[in-house]
Amino acid sequence: MTTSVTAYAAPAPKAPLERTTIERRAVGEHDILIEIAYAGICHSDIHQAREEWGTAQFPMVPGHEIAGIVTEVGPGVTKYAVGDRVGVGCFVDSCRECENCLAGEEQYCLKGEVATYNGKQYDGEPTYGGYSTHIVVDENYALRIPDGLSLDVAAPLLCAGITLYSPLAHWNAGPGKKVAIVGLGGLGHMGVKIAHAMGAEVTVLSQSLRKKDDGLRLGADHFHATSDESTFTELAGSFDLIVNTVSANIPLDSYLSLLKRDGTMVHVGGPEFPSSFHQFSLIMGRKSMAGSKIGGIRQTQEMLDFCAAHGFGAEIEVITADQINEAYDRVVSSDVRYRFVIDIASLKS
């Protein structure tokens, strides 16, 4: 038997989000019911609610940075108990059979992972995300939030945190490595914290020096403005790894010139329009261009434990549900330091 819960949804593309009710499935054999405490606002929520990434499903309840408390468990659940602190990230199921799922890389499921929102379960039912009071998920697609992390600062780690942790871990950021983070926003600020905690020498490449003090406070060793053309001359051939977090088109050839021989530039932001670059920017230094998504369940848990061990979560601004539309506009204009998090208790009043 389904349960009606309160949510905030976009009724149509580009329409303001509004209070509504949605149906959550009954708690099944291996399901847990989570009372959501906080949900982060990711820029991808805005892209999808405004249908900037192609045709989307409406009404849409965004939100894939979810933190809350288990309030009910199915009879076959072994991983969680009522009262546990848990999170849900960008997907809530996968085929569990393909080579990527079996390798613990469910985010690259060959059948296609089931997105937490703006997706469909394998039975065809639509998925609704974390801008709601409750969510039902299979225990295997939930994460345990360590006691050292408060739920509000933990919520954005379920997307922003793992989006940066995964490439930094995959390309071996650590002592002796010079890492540049392009953009100091919701994603970039987590990249700075994580790369610093891994032991890398961290540089922020931002449009201006406006956020320099923040960047250094968060763990950057250096901060440079990309609007200053001398930056690209001064830093040519400097970095082992560049992680590009911005969701806008940038002059890729200029950034590739900053890599050392055998260096890699990894993209985690998703611009609306295609980008281009000259192949000689790679050829002349055996450089690589790559992309990275999020992480699998195993690595996401590893990231949460890593952040707790190093004593940090996201830098947040907590808002109420009736401030979501204003927050969307502020994210687009880069007016947030550095992640909006919705206090879901405000949905119940």
Side-chain angles (χ1 to χ4, degrees):
M1 184 176 179
T2 62
T3 303
S4 295
V5 304
T6 305
Y8 243 69
K14 297 180 172 60
L17 278 72
E18 58 189 34
R19 184 184 293 261
T20 187
T21 58
I22 58 172
E23 296 297 313
R24 292 296 192 192
R25 72 175 185 262
V27 175
E29 178 78 12
H30 296 286
D31 286 339
I32 61 175
L33 173 65
I34 302 169
E35 182 176 4
I36 300 173
Y38 296 96
I41 293 179
C42 177
H43 204 145
S44 61
D45 297 349
I46 302 169
H47 285 305
Q48 293 182 81
R50 296 181 176 178
E51 214 168 47
E52 294 169 348
W53 284 351
T55 303
Q57 301 176 50
F58 295 90
M60 180 191 298
V61 178
H64 57 207
E65 298 181 337
I66 300 167
I69 304 294
V70 176
T71 57
E72 183 181 343
V73 300
V77 170
T78 60
K79 295 185 176 181
Y80 299 104
V82 171
D84 284 351
R85 306 163 77 251
V86 295
V88 178
C90 299
F91 58 93
V92 290
D93 204 356
S94 66
C95 80
R96 315 182 194 204
E97 298 175 346
C98 71
E99 61 180 305
N100 291 344
C101 285
L102 294 176
E105 302 281 6
E106 302 95 340
Q107 74 277 26
Y108 300 121
C109 175
L110 296 177
K111 183 177 179 179
E113 79 279 23
V114 176
T116 303
Y117 72 89
N118 191 28
K120 289 186 177 180
Q121 302 279 359
Y122 292 136
D123 63 6
E125 288 297 308
T127 57
Y128 299 115
Y131 298 7
S132 58
T133 58
H134 297 78
I135 190 170
V136 178
V137 298
D138 185 291
E139 63 174 327
N140 294 298
Y141 294 82
L143 291 306
R144 186 177 300 278
I145 295 178
D147 290 339
L149 288 172
S150 62
L151 294 179
D152 53 357
V153 302
L157 301 182
L158 277 302
C159 175
I162 187 59
T163 296
L164 272 296
Y165 183 90
S166 189
L168 289 167
H170 183 79
W171 277 276
N172 301 310
K177 293 291 184 72
K178 292 187 176 181
V179 174
I181 304 294
V182 182
L184 190 67
L187 293 177
H189 91 282
M190 288 307 310
V192 171
K193 287 189 171 191
I194 293 168
H196 173 73
M198 288 178 168
E201 182 178 334
V202 184
T203 297
V204 174
L205 300 174
S206 186
Q207 285 182 307
S208 72
L209 297 178
R210 183 168 57 94
K211 298 178 182 178
K212 181 176 181 178
D213 289 345
D214 275 1
L216 298 178
R217 174 178 61 84
L218 295 172
D221 299 286
H222 315 285
F223 198 107
H224 293 270
T226 55
S227 57
D228 183 348
E229 291 185 7
S230 67
T231 291
F232 292 94
T233 302
E234 178 185 344
L235 299 179
S238 293
F239 301 109
D240 300 286
L241 177 65
I242 298 173
V243 182
N244 175 25
T245 73
V246 302
S247 294
N249 299 93
I250 61 174
L252 294 179
D253 295 296
S254 296
Y255 285 85
L256 290 169
S257 74
L258 303 181
L259 289 172
K260 295 180 178 180
R261 171 180 52 80
D262 293 328
T264 301
M265 183 173 186
V266 183
H267 300 276
V268 298
E272 184 177 358
F273 303 105
S275 299
S276 62
F277 67 96
H278 202 295
Q279 281 85 339
F280 276 108
S281 294
L282 300 180
I283 291 169
M284 300 309 290
R286 200 165 58 197
K287 301 171 185 178
S288 300
M289 180 94 80
S292 182
K293 200 175 179 182
I294 43 175
I297 296 297
R298 170 190 51 76
Q299 190 179 53
T300 304
Q301 188 64 61
E302 178 184 296
M303 175 275 305
L304 288 168
D305 295 341
F306 177 90
C307 291
H310 287 86
F312 65 81
E315 302 287 305
I316 64 170
E317 180 176 335
V318 177
I319 63 169
T320 56
D322 60 6
Q323 296 175 296
I324 291 173
N325 292 304
E326 176 190 351
Y328 271 27
D329 291 335
R330 286 181 59 191
V331 170
V332 172
S333 61
S334 300
D335 180 24
V336 56
R337 301 275 180 98
Y338 281 92
R339 205 68 157 180
F340 285 119
V341 172
I342 306 162
D343 181 355
I344 298 300
S346 66
L347 259 178
K348 303 172 186 176
S349 56

